[in-house]
Amino acid sequence: MKIDLTDTTSSKINATMMDARRASGSTAAGMVLTLVIVTDEGSAYDALKAANDASREHPSRILAVIKRAGRSPRARAETRLDAEILVGTEAGSGETVVLRMHGELAAHAQSVVLPLLLPDAPVVVWWPDNAPLNPAQDPLGALAQRRITDAVTAESPVGQLAQRAAGYTPGDTDLAWTRITGWRSMLAAALDQREVTITGAVVEGESYNPSVELLGLWLNNRLRVPVERVVTGGPGITAVRLRTEDGDITLDRPDGLLGTLCMPGAPDRMVALKRRDTAELIAEELRRLDPDDIYATAVRTPVDRLRERIAGVGHAGPGGTVEAEAPAAAESETPKVVEAAAAAPARVTAKLPAKAAAGKTAAKKAPAAEKAAPRKRSGQ
């Protein structure tokens, strides 16, 4: 059942939902939480689809807040609330209300949302993109026990992690952290099988993917060993290697679907490590509404603790400079290094062979220039 209300109020929306529930033959709400989605028209469809799919595991009232302040002075002066109510099969296992707030009302969304919250039920606020710098201090975020953001949608994903650390409040979480649950579980299970001493770790993954950084920070924090971050072509996280005296414990997933766990003295095993969609990530976050202390510790760990290098190139020198191990290796990796340096010259400087360096001087930065421009790290 779908009902459209134009120029309405929160009380009318509540009354209409009650009537729609009775018409569908269900007088009781039967929902366990309220999920508030703060988004725009461009992202509303995908966010609502993911939330409706997740509601089959967690029946909830979904409130999608779409702010339309208006572009012209006349549009901004017009204050109006339009609502689209979905009940029944179109709303998953709960109720969905799409709230379009026009004019000055867009700046006071909490006054509209507050009367529509389920009584005595937890509140979760999710920003699919354009999350505030401090979610807990946002007027809508202040209503929630749990606040979900997604650093991967930011212009600078790794910079977004630093902002999440600076403004962290118990109850905050990020989908970049949720995406590595499978990796953390597999690695923890592998270390439970035998007693070994970890001397170092390597995390491989695509550039500008914050989940790669969070996984490396988690390993650094829990194992107390140096962690190297290697940039690869993806998709997502491609491999994790734990260094031991007997050999490497490797969890490799080159295709984003199936992983291979390799341990010294044991046969290789295939493990399920599929990249999950947004609905599965939201469903996982709704399973626990208490503060995630492990995430808090990981996100607060400085990203600079990770050494960084390009896949196939040698070690990372001081200041993040990438140095080739041998002339032959550098020669074969010249195109990749030049491409990486051209894409982010302030982040990586490669020592190329003399033959390649003659025509690629633009890809190099002097030490003074590196100090003048902040070093931009890669993220998931």
Side-chain angles (χ1 to χ4, degrees):
M1 182 183 300
K2 179 179 177 181
I3 304 171
D4 290 324
L5 300 177
T6 304
D7 196 7
T8 186
T9 63
S10 297
S11 59
K12 292 181 181 178
I13 295 173
N14 256 327
T16 304
M17 282 194 294
M18 186 69 70
D19 293 340
R21 199 182 305 134
R22 290 196 186 99
S24 64
S26 175
T27 56
M31 287 166 281
V32 298
L33 59 89
T34 303
L35 175 61
V36 181
I37 305 173
V38 186
T39 183
D40 54 25
E41 292 286 0
S43 304
Y45 175 81
D46 291 335
L48 282 171
K49 185 177 185 302
N52 285 335
D53 291 343
S55 72
R56 303 186 188 282
E57 181 178 340
H58 309 277
S60 56
R61 174 175 290 180
I62 301 171
L63 304 177
V65 177
I66 301 176
K67 301 178 181 181
R68 306 180 67 174
R71 298 180 180 178
S72 64
R74 176 175 296 180
R76 288 192 292 269
E78 181 185 10
T79 300
R80 190 177 83 245
L81 172 63
D82 296 336
E84 181 180 328
I85 302 174
L86 302 174
V87 179
T89 56
E90 295 184 2
S93 297
E95 302 169 340
T96 300
V97 183
V98 181
L99 303 169
R100 291 183 172 86
M101 304 177 187
H102 301 260
E104 294 183 0
L105 187 62
H108 305 280
Q110 72 279 5
S111 63
V112 178
V113 170
L114 186 59
L116 299 177
L117 301 178
L118 290 171
D120 302 322
V123 179
V124 179
V125 178
W126 171 34
W127 291 269
D129 46 27
N130 300 320
L133 296 180
N134 193 328
Q137 293 182 1
D138 182 83
L140 285 173
L143 301 175
Q145 288 79 39
R146 191 79 162 165
R147 294 162 294 275
I148 305 173
T149 56
D150 195 354
V152 77
T153 62
E155 290 291 332
S156 177
V158 178
Q160 193 79 354
L161 290 182
Q163 293 176 355
R164 294 287 163 261
Y168 176 81
T169 302
D172 292 353
T173 191
D174 197 280
L175 294 186
W177 174 254
T178 317
R179 291 185 180 96
I180 64 174
T181 299
W183 288 89
R184 294 190 293 121
S185 300
M186 290 293 179
L187 293 171
L191 294 180
D192 283 343
Q193 295 180 25
R194 56 189 303 177
E195 186 175 347
V196 294
T197 300
I198 307 298
T199 59
V202 179
V203 180
E204 301 180 5
E206 63 186 354
S207 180
Y208 303 108
N209 193 322
S211 294
V212 184
E213 313 289 338
L214 280 174
L215 183 56
L217 297 176
W218 175 72
L219 289 172
N220 175 265
N221 185 270
R222 308 306 292 181
L223 298 177
R224 304 295 182 183
V225 297
V227 178
E228 189 174 20
R229 194 261 196 260
V230 179
V231 178
T232 65
I237 303 171
T238 53
V240 175
R241 309 181 192 281
L242 303 180
R243 309 292 192 192
T244 72
E245 295 179 355
D246 299 330
D248 290 355
I249 298 175
T250 303
L251 184 56
D252 190 21
R253 189 195 63 179
D255 58 359
L257 295 173
L258 198 62
T260 304
L261 178 61
C262 305
M263 300 182 65
D268 295 352
R269 285 177 290 172
M270 307 300 289
V271 295
L273 210 56
K274 176 181 173 292
R275 301 187 76 190
R276 297 177 294 169
D277 58 23
T278 307
E280 294 176 287
L281 300 176
I282 291 297
E284 178 184 328
E285 284 299 334
L286 297 182
R287 289 180 197 134
R288 54 172 298 174
L289 300 179
D290 57 319
D292 191 340
D293 296 332
I294 305 300
Y295 163 73
T297 304
V299 77
R300 285 171 170 170
T301 304
V303 178
D304 289 340
R305 290 192 183 181
L306 305 181
R307 288 198 314 164
E308 182 179 280
R309 66 179 173 89
I310 307 297
V313 184
H315 63 280
T321 301
V322 177
E323 301 178 355
E325 291 180 334
E331 185 76 29
S332 63
E333 293 296 331
T334 293
K336 295 181 180 179
V337 174
V338 171
E339 181 181 352
R347 180 174 62 84
V348 56
T349 301
K351 290 187 177 180
L352 303 178
K355 181 173 64 174
K360 305 297 181 181
T361 55
K364 293 186 177 182
K365 292 288 181 180
E370 287 185 350
K371 293 180 181 179
R375 183 167 64 94
K376 185 176 181 182
R377 295 187 61 83
S378 63
Q380 174 161 313

